[in-house]
């Protein structure tokens, strides 16, 4: 089966997706790349990098040149574009957040059938270090997970229309579900700061479980860090060009070797393309997790 990918949106992050697709095509994993952006200027000079271009999403679908798509447009258009593709049984990779219209997400999720493939772009689930942490946790290396701390601060200014909670903090919430830290959303959070540029909160406790999220744009320093605290020790991962992972048990610090073979966006694309090629209907993260995230964020907006 040839994989003919339609990339919808060629902004800052869309360009990263296109770079990844070009690499995948050179490797023979993708056969045809179509780029769609309503701004013709975003398509200029790309004739040697992509096989076809469109300025209208419907025209691209009608042309029949794609059998899977990635939606990398502003979040307010995600659900509309994804719905139109899924109606034609076209698998979709959709950037996170699923939408910035939280009230519309439940209806969209409830409309999904068992025949669709929808992968939402929580790319940290595909990070080699995160996958290694999950394996260590499953193997009982730090006992029962009790706390997850997620910190992401960047010197980069906040993109227009973006929100720290839905764009940066959302990774911390999603990872809490990925690692099985369930039930936290039922506790009242302690919000120390909630601004478009910054979010700092203790999402509350259920028994001994706890989630801390600290994210911001316009920070004084770059910081990307994930820490898992278990009943028998801790796991820590520092993201970046060269990720580092450590395990601390009984005061003894060990380094966990990572190959850093591929960036998480590449791994995410490989995962998505595997589902498409196998013709295996897949919703990932699972619908239940997406519902929990939606409810969590709706609740947080009330504070």
């Amino acid at each position: 089966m040839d994989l003919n990918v339609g990339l919808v949106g060629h902004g800052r992050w869309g360009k990263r997706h296109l770079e990844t697709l070009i690499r995948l095509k050179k490797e023979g994993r993708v056969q045809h790349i179509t780029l769609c952006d309503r701004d013709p200027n975003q398509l200029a000079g790309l004739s040697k990098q992509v096989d076809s271009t469109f300025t209208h999403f419907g025209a691209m679908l009608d042309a029949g040149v794609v059998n899977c798509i990635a939606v990398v447009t502003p979040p307010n258009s995600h659900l509309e574009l994804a719905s139109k593709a899924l109606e034609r049984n076209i698998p979709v990779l959709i950037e996170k957040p699923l939408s910035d219209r939280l009230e519309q997400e439940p209806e969209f999720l409830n409309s999904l059938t068992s025949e669709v493939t929808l992968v939402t772009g929580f790319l940290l689930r595909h990070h080699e270090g995160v996958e290694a942490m999950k394996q260590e946790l499953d193997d009982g290396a730090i006992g029962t997970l009790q706390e997850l701390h997620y910190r992401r601060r960047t010197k980069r200014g906040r993109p227009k229309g973006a929100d720290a909670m839905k764009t940066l903090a959302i990774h911390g919430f999603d990872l809490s579900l990925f690692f099985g830290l369930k039930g936290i959303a039922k506790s009242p959070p302690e919000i120390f700061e909630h601004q478009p540029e910054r979010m700092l909160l203790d999402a509350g406790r259920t028994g001994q479980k706890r989630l801390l999220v600290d994210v911001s744009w316009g920070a004084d320093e770059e910081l990307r860090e994930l820490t898992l605290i278990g009943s028998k020790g801790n796991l820590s991962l520092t993201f970046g060009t060269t990720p580092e992972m450590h395990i601390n048990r009984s005061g003894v610090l060990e380094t966990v070797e990572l190959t850093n073979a591929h960036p998480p966006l590449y791994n995410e694309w490989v995962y998505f393309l595997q589902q498409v090629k196998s013709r295996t209907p897949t919703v990932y993260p699972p619908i239940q997790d997406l519902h929990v995230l939606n409810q969590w964020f709706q609740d947080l907006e009330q504070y």
Side-chain angles (χ1 to χ4, degrees), residues 53-124:
T53 60
F54 290 85
T55 56
H56 191 274
F57 181 68
M60 181 188 74
L61 296 184
D62 290 340
V65 294
V66 302
N67 54 20
C68 59
I69 71 162
V71 177
V72 195
T73 56
N76 60 7
S77 62
H78 283 182
L79 296 185
E80 177 185 358
L81 297 176
S83 295
K84 289 180 178 179
L86 293 174
E87 287 173 358
R88 304 188 186 211
N89 296 317
I90 298 175
V92 176
L93 169 63
I94 187 170
E95 260 303 337
K96 60 86 187 157
L98 186 61
S99 175
D100 62 357
R101 299 173 180 178
L102 296 174
E103 72 284 355
Q104 296 180 8
E105 283 186 20
E107 180 179 358
F108 171 80
L109 292 172
N110 291 334
S111 72
L112 298 178
T113 71
S114 59
E115 302 301 316
V116 306
T117 290
L118 175 72
V119 175
T120 307
F122 291 101
L123 80 168
L124 290 187

Side-chain angles (χ1 to χ4, degrees), residues 25-214:
K25 186 177 180 183
K26 290 179 179 178
E27 295 174 355
R29 293 178 180 267
V30 167
Q31 282 66 52
H32 189 283
I33 301 173
T34 294
L35 181 61
C36 179
D37 196 293
R38 62 184 182 182
D39 181 0
N41 294 325
Q42 293 288 0
L43 306 175
L46 294 174
S47 59
K48 294 183 179 180
Q49 295 176 284
V50 301
D51 299 285
S52 55
T53 60
F54 290 85
T55 56
H56 191 274
F57 181 68
M60 181 188 74
L61 296 184
D62 290 340
V65 294
V66 302
N67 54 20
C68 59
I69 71 162
V71 177
V72 195
T73 56
N76 60 7
S77 62
H78 283 182
L79 296 185
E80 177 185 358
L81 297 176
S83 295
K84 289 180 178 179
L86 293 174
E87 287 173 358
R88 304 188 186 211
N89 296 317
I90 298 175
V92 176
L93 169 63
I94 187 170
E95 260 303 337
K96 60 86 187 157
L98 186 61
S99 175
D100 62 357
R101 299 173 180 178
L102 296 174
E103 72 284 355
Q104 296 180 8
E105 283 186 20
E107 180 179 358
F108 171 80
L109 292 172
N110 291 334
S111 72
L112 298 178
T113 71
S114 59
E115 302 301 316
V116 306
T117 290
L118 175 72
V119 175
T120 307
F122 291 101
L123 80 168
L124 290 187
R125 286 183 177 233
H126 304 275
H127 191 288
E128 179 194 346
V130 171
E131 291 177 338
M133 292 179 93
K134 185 68 162 57
Q135 188 62 56
E136 292 283 355
L137 184 65
D138 291 346
D139 291 343
I142 62 171
T144 304
L145 180 62
Q146 297 177 337
E147 298 189 15
L148 185 149
H149 300 179
Y150 178 74
R151 297 179 174 88
R152 173 66 175 107
R153 302 173 191 162
T154 176
K155 294 180 179 179
R156 188 165 59 89
R158 178 172 66 93
K160 183 179 179 181
D163 177 270
M165 179 174 73
K166 297 174 184 175
T167 307
L168 296 179
I170 195 170
H171 283 296
F173 291 99
D174 176 63
L175 287 175
S176 73
L177 298 174
F178 177 71
F179 285 108
L181 199 65
K182 309 286 186 179
I184 298 296
K186 297 178 181 178
S187 302
E190 184 173 0
I191 301 176
F192 302 100
E193 190 168 355
H194 182 187
Q195 302 293 332
E197 294 82 8
R198 177 167 170 74
M199 186 170 198
L200 176 61
L201 66 81
D202 180 339
R205 290 180 177 271
T206 300
Q208 293 182 316
K209 297 179 182 179
R210 184 184 189 191
L211 169 63
L212 295 175
V213 176
D214 177 3

Side-chain angles (χ1 to χ4, degrees), residues 133 234-238 244-248 253-256:
M133 292 179 93
N234 305 335
L235 279 166
S236 62
L237 174 66
T238 301
E244 295 183 1
M245 180 175 162
H246 299 94
I247 184 168
N248 189 331
L253 189 66
E254 306 170 40
T255 299
V256 179

